Amino acid sequence: MQGKDTCDIYCYDEEKVNRIQQLMTNVDLLKVAKLFKALSDENRAKIVYSLCEDDELCVCDIANIIGSTVANTSHHLRTLHKQGIVKYRREGKLVFYSLDDEHMRQLMLIGLEHVEEVKANV
Amino acid sequence: MQGKDTCDIYCYDEEKVNRIQQLMTNVDLLKVAKLFKALSDENRAKIVYSLCEDDELCVCDIANIIGSTVANTSHHLRTLHKQGIVKYRREGKLVFYSLDDEHMRQLMLIGLEHVEEVKANV
DNA sequence: CATACAATCAAATGATTATTTAAATGACCA
DNA sequence: TGGTCATTTAAATAATCATTTGATTGTATG
């Protein structure tokens, strides 16, 4: 029934493995990984945090906030947009970015809570 | 008061920029970025999801679930542990991993919700 | 129409990161 | 104590990603 003792490759609990693999077919963990990857850069985390504090910001304001070039900022915003994290609207020459939905504010909040707690435990 | 029109470098709203930069000094966005980076790999996302579905799993079970080598799995688990995402306990020859706290379940849940919604909008 | 400027794009470089392989721990058991 | 097995570590390679630079697009305005 189970492979807890010696088997050809390694020990493993076949039942558990199968059950979880089955559950995993229902969720898109590659997409989730990509979502987190978009948030995994300090500059992009700063952008998302900024958009938690201010509803709308134009590209050059964001560039100034994160202390980077406009080209680099635009690049990062594209990455965030591809994952549905930010949206934008054009107003004349300016392009204003904002958070796409409430999920991002929640993720950032929980993330910040977590690192505060971890820091406290050290 | 504001730099909305031509300035030496670029247009920007100095007041906004300063306000948000000030707010950013209170939070550790580098740590948050590192946290998300740990979740930004498909294999590690699979590990965290697996640990949402099963309280405890040993290394070789996890290796089988994600379909990778034990060495590689161990490497990923180390990455997750460094960010306070998973914890472990030793029982004889086996090492059992579990989620460190409830935050991770929340992050994974919100992440999954988000990618489902984004997918629906395409 | 030409100029100015915000933003984007494309190519190149430098830096990080995932994965593999092989060797090393650390714990049990005969 | 010697051997086996689960896990970890180290070093090397392969792959991915961030940033810079220079050129381009799109929009307003003189």
Side-chain angles (χ1 to χ4, degrees):
Chain A
M1 204 66 164
Q2 287 163 317
K4 259 277 158 132
D5 32 25
T6 309
C7 65
D8 285 336
I9 315 172
Y10 273 107
C11 95
Y12 70 99
D13 186 329
E14 205 175 338
E15 215 174 311
K16 267 193 181 182
V17 170
N18 289 338
R19 188 180 71 82
I20 294 178
Q21 280 184 333
Q22 177 60 32
L23 283 169
M24 274 200 316
T25 61
N26 300 321
V27 291
D28 195 338
L29 292 170
L30 178 57
K31 278 241 174 83
V32 173
K34 283 181 179 174
L35 169 67
F36 287 131
K37 186 167 292 176
L39 299 167
S40 75
D41 176 88
E42 187 182 9
N43 279 329
R44 290 197 295 270
K46 282 183 178 178
I47 292 174
V48 172
Y49 179 77
S50 299
L51 291 172
C52 286
E53 297 294 342
D54 210 308
D55 282 348
E56 270 196 339
L57 291 168
C58 72
V59 177
C60 71
D61 276 345
I62 296 173
N64 275 284
I65 290 169
I66 70 174
S68 186
T69 63
V70 170
N72 191 20
T73 303
S74 180
H75 202 115
H76 284 311
L77 286 166
R78 192 166 174 273
T79 302
L80 290 170
H81 186 255
K82 260 200 279 189
Q83 300 308 321
I85 295 171
V86 299
K87 58 179 191 274
Y88 63 85
R89 78 184 169 84
R90 177 151 229 147
E91 186 179 313
K93 276 189 285 189
L94 299 174
V95 175
F96 287 95
Y97 280 85
S98 55
L99 293 183
D100 190 281
D101 63 27
E102 202 55 30
H103 285 141
M104 296 310 127
R105 193 172 264 111
Q106 292 175 31
L107 285 182
M108 185 53 73
L109 203 73
I110 296 171
L112 283 168
E113 249 180 56
H114 180 78
V115 301
E116 280 302 318
E117 277 187 25
V118 169
K119 205 184 294 177
N121 291 340
V122 178
Chain B
M1 203 65 167
Q2 286 164 318
K4 257 278 155 125
D5 32 27
T6 309
C7 66
D8 285 335
I9 315 172
Y10 274 108
C11 96
Y12 70 99
D13 186 329
E14 205 176 338
E15 216 175 312
K16 267 192 181 183
V17 170
N18 289 339
R19 187 181 70 82
I20 294 177
Q21 280 183 333
Q22 178 59 33
L23 282 168
M24 274 200 317
T25 61
N26 300 320
V27 291
D28 195 338
L29 291 171
L30 178 56
K31 277 242 175 82
V32 173
K34 282 182 180 172
L35 169 66
F36 287 133
K37 187 168 294 177
L39 298 168
S40 75
D41 176 88
E42 188 182 8
N43 280 328
R44 289 196 295 271
K46 283 183 178 178
I47 292 173
V48 172
Y49 179 77
S50 300
L51 292 173
C52 286
E53 297 295 342
D54 209 308
D55 282 348
E56 270 196 339
L57 291 167
C58 73
V59 177
C60 70
D61 276 344
I62 296 174
N64 275 285
I65 290 169
I66 71 175
S68 186
T69 62
V70 169
N72 191 18
T73 304
S74 179
H75 205 116
H76 284 311
L77 286 167
R78 194 165 174 270
T79 302
L80 291 170
H81 186 255
K82 260 199 279 189
Q83 300 308 321
I85 294 171
V86 299
K87 59 177 190 278
Y88 62 85
R89 76 181 171 87
R90 178 150 228 147
E91 186 179 314
K93 274 190 285 189
L94 299 173
V95 175
F96 287 95
Y97 280 85
S98 55
L99 293 182
D100 190 280
D101 63 27
E102 202 55 30
H103 286 141
M104 297 309 126
R105 194 172 264 111
Q106 291 176 32
L107 285 181
M108 184 53 72
L109 203 74
I110 296 171
L112 283 168
E113 251 181 53
H114 180 78
V115 300
E116 280 302 316
E117 277 186 24
V118 169
K119 204 183 294 178
N121 291 340
V122 178

